Structures are given as C-alpha cells and as structure tokens.
C-alpha cells in the first residue's frame, strides 16, 4: 500500500486503521474515528505514451528521468490533470517533455501499477518534430521496435501489447528496484 495520508481531510484528527462494514464486506482502511471520514486510497491515473517518431523511421523514443539512480529508459509518462481528457493529457505531456507534436494517438490499454498505487493508461502516439527534452528528462534514445524491452508491470504490459500488435514477440526484463 502507498499510504500517504495521516490526518483526516475533514477535521484534521489522526487517521487509524479501522474495520468497518462496506458493500463488499468488512474492510480495514485508514479512517477518522472522530468524524467517520475514510481515506479510500484510490489509484491515481497516469498517462503513458509509446512515442513512435514518424520522421525517424518509426523508431520509438524512450527517455531517462533525471531523478532516477539507474540508467533506465522508459515511456513518456505524466499525471492526468483536472479539466482535460486523457487524449489531451497525453498530447500535452509529449509536447512538454519532448517538444514533439502528436499527429495521431490510439489507446493500447489500461494497466495497474500497484507498487505506485497507479492506474496507467497507455497510448501509442505518432509524433514528429525535433526533440527537446524538459529538465525532468536527462536523455533519450530511439529504439527499433524489435529492440524494445518490457518491464513485467505497468507500462511494460502496454508496451508488450503494442509490440504484439505489430507482430513482435515482446522480450521482458526485470523491473528496476523500487525507490526507497
Ligand atoms: Zn475526521
């Protein structure tokens, strides 16, 4: 579990694990003993893009996050924001993080990423332009689809599904260790 909340959002009292009857039976969650507020801890929607570069021979852009300790490359991802559609959100993220313009996008699938308590919406994005990375990203690489490797979680399952749709057999590698 990715529990962050410690205090009630309604009255400010400390939260505690409290068991209560719900529609699905008895369930222990962080709740407020004073006012009854429940911290549901629902997963956060994250958008992810398999960026196929139309003017780079269809190679796929993966980028390395500047905050990561390991030299790993991943899909472009970002949080969905209030007031935007998922399609608008992924178009915005690709533009902000790579400066590429999105020509077309299609949904690959929706996947859980329980380590981060996220639900990941993976798009295949056809994009073009000159890459300029945002400061969040340290470097990028262009991969032939056949050379891509998938993590056995979250975005990796989306990447694997897209590779299969293109006639490739996805190759999986170990998920990097969780950040402390
Ligand atoms: Zn409360």
């Amino acid at each position: 579990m990715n529990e962050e909340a410690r205090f009630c959002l309604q009255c400010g009292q400390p939260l505690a694990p409290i068991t209560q009857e719900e529609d699905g039976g008895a369930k222990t969650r962080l709740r407020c003993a004073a006012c009854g507020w429940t911290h549901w801890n629902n997963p956060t929607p994250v958008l992810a893009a398999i960026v196929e570069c139309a003017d780079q021979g269809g190679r796929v852009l993966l980028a390395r996050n500047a905050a990561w300790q390991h030299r790993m490359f991943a899909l472009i991802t970002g949080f969905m924001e209030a007031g935007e559609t998922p399609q608008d959100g992924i178009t915005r993220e690709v533009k902000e993080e790579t400066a590429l313009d999105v020509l077309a996008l299609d949904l690959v699938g929706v996947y859980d990423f329980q380590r981060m308590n996220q639900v990941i919406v993976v798009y295949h994005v056809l994009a073009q332009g000159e890459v300029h990375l945002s400061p969040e990203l340290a470097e990028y690489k262009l991969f032939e689809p056949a050379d891509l490797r998938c993590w056995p979680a979250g975005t990796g399952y989306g990447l694997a599904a897209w590779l299969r749709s293109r006639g490739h057999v996805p190759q999986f590698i170990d998920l990097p260790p969780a950040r402390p």
Side-chain angles (χ1 to χ4, degrees), residues 70-143:
H70 308 277
R71 195 163 178 274
M72 322 170 291
F73 291 82
L75 303 187
I76 298 298
T77 59
F79 291 110
M80 193 172 160
E81 292 189 354
E84 68 183 4
T85 65
Q87 294 85 353
D88 290 343
I90 198 61
T91 301
R92 173 184 55 73
E93 285 290 344
V94 168
K95 184 74 180 174
E96 284 176 4
E97 298 201 7
T98 69
L100 295 175
D101 292 308
V102 172
L103 303 174
L105 50 84
D106 56 294
L107 180 66
V108 174
V110 180
Y111 306 88
D112 62 287
F113 188 34
Q114 295 184 23
R115 180 196 282 183
M116 297 295 286
N117 194 26
Q118 294 171 345
V119 57
I120 301 191
V121 184
V122 179
Y123 285 93
H124 164 245
V125 170
L126 189 64
Q128 72 174 10
E130 197 176 325
V131 177
H132 293 286
L133 295 182
S134 84
E136 279 176 43
L137 300 176
E139 57 179 322
Y140 73 95
K141 272 189 188 176
L142 298 174
F143 293 84

Side-chain angles (χ1 to χ4, degrees), residues 146-165:
D147 297 333
L148 290 167
R149 296 293 177 267
C150 309
W151 295 334
T155 55
Y157 293 136
L159 185 56
W162 179 73
L163 287 170
R164 279 190 205 97
S165 78

Side-chain angles (χ1 to χ4, degrees), residues 16-20 22 27-31 38-41:
I18 295 174
T19 305
Q20 197 170 293
E22 295 179 359
K27 187 94 184 178
T28 304
R29 300 184 193 271
L30 288 180
R31 305 180 200 269
T38 297
H39 175 52
W40 295 101
N41 197 30

Side-chain angles (χ1 to χ4, degrees), residues 7-15 31-38:
F7 297 96
C8 177
L9 281 188
Q10 215 161 244
C11 75
Q13 293 298 304
L15 298 174
R31 305 180 200 269
C32 176
C35 77
W37 184 80
T38 297

